[in-house]
Amino acid sequence: MASSFTDNYIKLEVITSTNNFAYKLLKAGEIKEGAVITALHQKRGEGQLQAKWESDYAKNILISIVLSPNISIKNQFDINICISLALHDFTKKYFKKGVKIKWPNDLLVENEKLAGILIKNIVKTDSIKDTIVGIGLNVNQIKFKNYSLKATSMKKLLEKEFDIEELQKELLDCIGLRYLQLKLKEFEKIREEYFTVLHGFNQWGHYEIEGGKIKAKITGIDEIGMLLLEMENGKTKSFSLKEITFLF
Ligand code: BTN
């Protein structure tokens, strides 16, 4: 699978959003599984919860990959898990410790955000026909705005410049390998692995919910990918991304 990502590799200088562009091309039937779109700059990079993804010109990885998993919508979140694990595999090559996934799919190094993932699924009669996997990975940028979750980069952490194209290739190899597991429907296996690297799993931590601070423990995710938290009173509640803020 890894090598098939080189079949249709579209490199752009500037675009509104690689995810949005990939979606348009896919809808128009101009690209298919394996297509990769990269850009040096996005005018309106899309982040989670309608946030803008900001990235200095030519400093970071901005990439969208088209996959056609053909899995049931019941396994929708397993795509997030698969891609998060691929990013984790990639990052672990550079950092021996402190690499974690923050639910649902942020990549953290020492509690700072190195990369984010935005996935758009195209559903056809109960199955995920196509998916656009967008990844923003901070490489050579060293100054970031004050986001609620502090941003970091490879250069900031390792104090050297990286070849972005080279890293992109390595990342695609990691995605290719994890995608094989998804195609083989190894859902249980990847879920288990996800929990071993999930920030706050089975540990008491602090969260903000409805404006109040609480202490809780992540105990799992439900079938649609909502976060399950055990409260101090022993009860378990589920939360969507917009309902919860992690406090570090
Ligand atoms: C997040 O908010 O953490 C997700 C960020 C995803 C950003 C990437 S950059 C490449 C691709 N194109 C987009 O517009 N967004 C994703």
Side-chain angles (χ1 to χ4, degrees):
M1 183 67 213
S3 60
S4 67
F5 287 133
T6 53
D7 292 351
N8 194 1
Y9 208 120
I10 304 170
K11 292 183 195 176
L12 305 165
E13 193 206 351
V14 182
I15 191 76
T16 46
S17 144
T18 56
N19 263 24
N20 191 267
F21 187 64
Y23 183 68
K24 281 187 190 154
L25 292 183
L26 188 65
K27 280 266 156 189
E30 287 173 34
I31 54 172
K32 57 179 174 52
E33 179 167 55
V36 172
I37 294 163
T38 64
L40 299 181
H41 183 66
Q42 296 183 125
K43 285 190 274 188
R44 226 174 328 110
E46 297 168 2
Q48 293 177 105
L49 298 177
Q50 272 79 49
K52 204 172 166 223
W53 184 260
E54 290 165 308
S55 171
D56 286 355
Y57 183 90
K59 292 283 187 197
N60 304 313
I61 293 180
L62 302 169
I63 193 167
S64 295
I65 304 135
V66 177
L67 301 173
S68 304
N70 273 312
I71 54 172
S72 160
I73 43 170
K74 283 197 310 231
N75 294 101
Q76 178 164 334
F77 194 70
D78 292 301
I79 301 174
N80 297 63
I81 290 181
C82 160
I83 303 301
S84 307
L85 287 175
L87 256 183
H88 188 270
D89 296 340
F90 166 87
T91 312
K92 277 293 276 184
K93 293 187 194 174
Y94 294 90
F95 305 94
K96 293 282 160 280
K97 57 182 186 66
V99 184
K100 289 274 175 186
I101 296 166
K102 174 180 161 281
W103 175 85
N105 41 225
D106 288 337
L107 201 285
L108 306 182
V109 180
E110 304 291 359
N111 290 344
E112 295 181 353
K113 183 161 167 173
L114 181 74
I117 301 170
L118 187 68
I119 292 175
K120 185 176 175 74
N121 291 321
I122 293 121
V123 176
K124 214 175 191 180
T125 51
D126 288 353
S127 78
I128 297 168
K129 197 178 153 278
D130 301 303
T131 181
I132 293 162
V133 173
I135 299 172
L137 192 149
N138 299 328
V139 181
N140 291 325
Q141 183 172 336
I142 45 170
K143 284 212 170 92
F144 296 94
K145 282 191 187 161
N146 268 332
Y147 299 107
S148 53
L149 175 55
K150 212 171 162 203
T152 193
S153 69
M154 305 275 293
K155 184 172 177 182
K156 231 179 136 186
L157 291 161
L158 296 171
E159 296 177 350
K160 62 174 190 158
E161 287 272 325
F162 287 87
D163 180 330
I164 294 177
E165 294 248 344
E166 203 46 55
L167 293 188
Q168 253 164 217
K169 274 191 219 129
E170 286 175 22
L171 179 61
L172 286 173
D173 286 346
C174 292
I175 292 172
L177 288 173
R178 287 290 179 179
Y179 186 53
L180 281 178
Q181 280 191 297
L182 192 80
K183 290 294 263 186
L184 291 170
K185 299 196 166 55
E186 293 180 0
F187 305 128
E188 229 166 88
K189 200 170 166 193
I190 60 171
R191 276 190 182 225
E192 255 174 46
E193 227 184 303
Y194 178 77
F195 290 126
T196 66
V197 294
L198 188 65
H199 169 85
F201 184 68
N202 256 334
Q203 282 167 359
W204 290 101
H206 296 93
Y207 303 88
E208 195 178 303
I209 286 153
E210 291 172 349
K213 288 183 182 158
I214 61 147
K215 201 170 152 193
K217 189 158 71 173
I218 298 177
T219 53
I221 42 175
D222 70 10
E223 64 285 353
I224 57 163
M226 300 255 282
L227 188 67
L228 298 175
L229 283 187
E230 184 187 318
M231 305 290 144
E232 280 188 293
N233 64 8
K235 289 202 173 121
T236 297
K237 284 191 185 173
S238 65
F239 296 92
S240 70
L241 186 56
K242 59 173 186 287
E243 290 171 329
I244 184 165
T245 305
F246 285 60
L247 302 172
F248 287 89

